[in-house]
Amino acid sequence: MRDVTDEKPTPQTAGESTPDEYDAPAIAESAGAEARADDETPVSHAAASPESDEPAATPTPDVSTVTFAEAFEAMTDGPAGVDEAAPAQYGVGPFSIREVSLGAVWLVAFVVSFFPIYSYGNGGWGKSVWTGIDWLLTIGVPTVAVFLIGLRRLSPQGIRRVGSLGIDQFASVAFSVSSIIWLGILWSSFVSVGGGSVFLATWVVWAEFILMLAGVVLTVFAGFLPTIGEDFQHRSQVPAHRYASPARPVVARPATQRAPYSGPVATPLTDAHADGAQSDGAAPVAEPTSETTVLDETVLAPSPSQAFWALVPVERDVVDEHGTPLFRIGPTAWALVIEDRGDRFVVRHEDGRIGYLTDVSGVTRG
């Protein structure tokens, strides 16, 4: 093969093809570069198919648990991220100023909770909040909240979530509920004074209410305050728990399509009477006083099992099953036939009596 590395290819004009001696080396070199690129580039199995413009579907995470350990981890574990670009935050040891202040408030409240919360005057002092079940929400849940805040700093891989609530969210709920309960005890004492009794709450209730209210400020409203609000700044963004995510929209259930009505269709009595008068040549008769609503424009012929109106040309007897006359029907009023038995009609009177019309000749159906 002739060496063409030192030769300069002649520029081609439009419409001219490139000689094969210049195309072959370039094509070989390009193919080799593509082969090396294919060998060095890993294939991503998660990429979308080249035949489809849609991205690959993200599998739904499995939220089911098998063991108690897995269930506990699902309720307490959560994403832990740190913003490395955030400025340094100074505090007391591993704790922030807000966390130290909240721990001090809890410590004083915990010690004060062992003193009596009621005073009965000459009847003596009552018991502390720890003697009943009231300790659970008044001081127990805030204790758990402060413990979790401390555990979060001392063990970053420990509990980071309580159900769908973060640690700080749980602390906000704990101190808010506790302050409301202490306020309820104070309110009951004021009601007792209004009823002529003594003020039952001791100084312990006042102290606990003020301390828990301070805990609310350090948890719920801490982000709006200077210095202690720095604890909530420059926090990393993490996905919300599925219980804390926005609710899915709810749409109205589609209405069930009802089947069309296939029963008997009533027609105006006046039209039927006019048709009967023209067909039989009888004299006009009085219009019935009852009104009938037209259900549909299509008139269906009554089947033997369907009720219909009948008009006889002359007065005829309606008898019972033994042939005894019960009442008479005539050409001046329509009679209600509830059943057609071929050679006889089952007729119903206005007063509820039922009999048989044995002579059905010349009867006009309505």
Side-chain angles (χ1 to χ4, degrees), residues 13-364:
T13 61
E16 296 182 358
S17 60
T18 305
D20 294 339
E21 61 183 356
Y22 299 123
D23 290 347
I27 294 174
E29 182 179 359
S30 175
E34 292 179 356
R36 289 192 300 271
D38 293 338
D39 294 338
E40 296 175 358
T41 304
V43 178
S44 175
H45 298 283
S49 174
E51 299 178 358
S52 175
D53 296 336
E54 299 181 357
T58 303
T60 303
D62 186 12
V63 297
S64 60
T65 55
V66 179
T67 63
F68 176 79
E70 293 178 354
F72 181 78
E73 182 180 0
M75 293 295 293
T76 59
D77 194 15
V82 178
D83 188 2
E84 300 293 344
Q89 180 183 6
Y90 301 101
V92 180
F95 303 101
S96 65
I97 298 177
R98 183 188 69 91
E99 293 168 344
V100 172
S101 302
L102 187 62
V105 168
W106 165 82
L107 181 60
V108 176
F110 184 79
V111 174
V112 172
S113 65
F114 289 96
F115 292 90
I117 60 175
Y118 292 114
S119 175
Y120 302 104
N122 297 330
W125 298 92
K127 298 179 180 180
S128 68
V129 73
W130 293 95
T131 56
I133 195 63
D134 294 339
W135 65 269
L136 183 60
L137 295 178
T138 54
I139 194 65
V141 177
T143 301
V144 175
V146 173
F147 171 78
L148 292 177
I149 290 176
L151 181 64
R152 179 179 59 183
R153 293 292 187 182
L154 300 177
S155 178
Q157 300 301 324
I159 299 176
R160 295 188 294 271
R161 184 163 46 84
V162 181
S164 62
L165 300 177
I167 299 300
D168 293 309
Q169 291 175 321
F170 178 75
S172 301
V173 174
F175 281 93
S176 299
V177 171
S178 179
S179 62
I180 292 175
I181 294 179
W182 288 113
L183 179 61
I185 298 175
L186 289 175
W187 183 266
S188 300
S189 299
F190 280 109
V191 172
S192 177
V193 172
S197 183
V198 297
F199 193 82
L200 299 178
T202 63
W203 64 271
V204 174
V205 181
W206 287 102
E208 292 287 354
F209 173 68
I210 295 174
L211 290 171
M212 293 303 156
L213 200 60
V216 172
V217 174
L218 292 173
T219 54
V220 179
F221 303 102
F224 303 98
L225 301 178
T227 307
I228 62 175
E230 296 179 357
D231 198 6
F232 294 99
Q233 297 178 2
H234 304 287
R235 290 194 174 188
S236 57
Q237 299 291 334
V238 295
H241 188 270
R242 60 180 181 274
Y243 293 155
S245 301
R248 297 176 57 188
V250 179
V251 298
R253 188 182 300 274
T256 305
Q257 196 73 15
R258 295 185 178 181
Y261 178 73
S262 60
V265 179
T267 57
L269 297 182
T270 55
D271 296 342
H273 174 268
D275 295 341
Q278 293 176 2
S279 61
D280 296 341
V285 296
E287 294 184 0
T289 57
S290 60
E291 296 182 357
T292 304
T293 304
V294 179
L295 300 180
D296 192 35
E297 296 179 358
T298 304
V299 178
L300 301 178
S303 64
S305 60
Q306 294 177 348
F308 60 92
W309 294 97
L311 184 68
V312 295
V314 295
E315 290 190 356
R316 294 175 181 174
D317 291 331
V318 177
V319 299
D320 59 9
E321 57 186 7
H322 301 293
T324 304
L326 296 177
F327 54 90
R328 297 173 64 84
I329 58 175
T332 59
W334 291 82
L336 177 61
V337 178
I338 61 177
E339 185 178 355
D340 182 0
R341 296 188 178 181
D343 60 342
R344 62 179 59 189
F345 292 162
V346 181
V347 182
R348 179 186 179 91
H349 196 268
E350 295 179 355
D351 58 7
R353 290 178 294 172
I354 298 177
Y356 300 97
L357 178 64
T358 57
D359 185 4
V360 296
S361 60
V363 175
T364 301

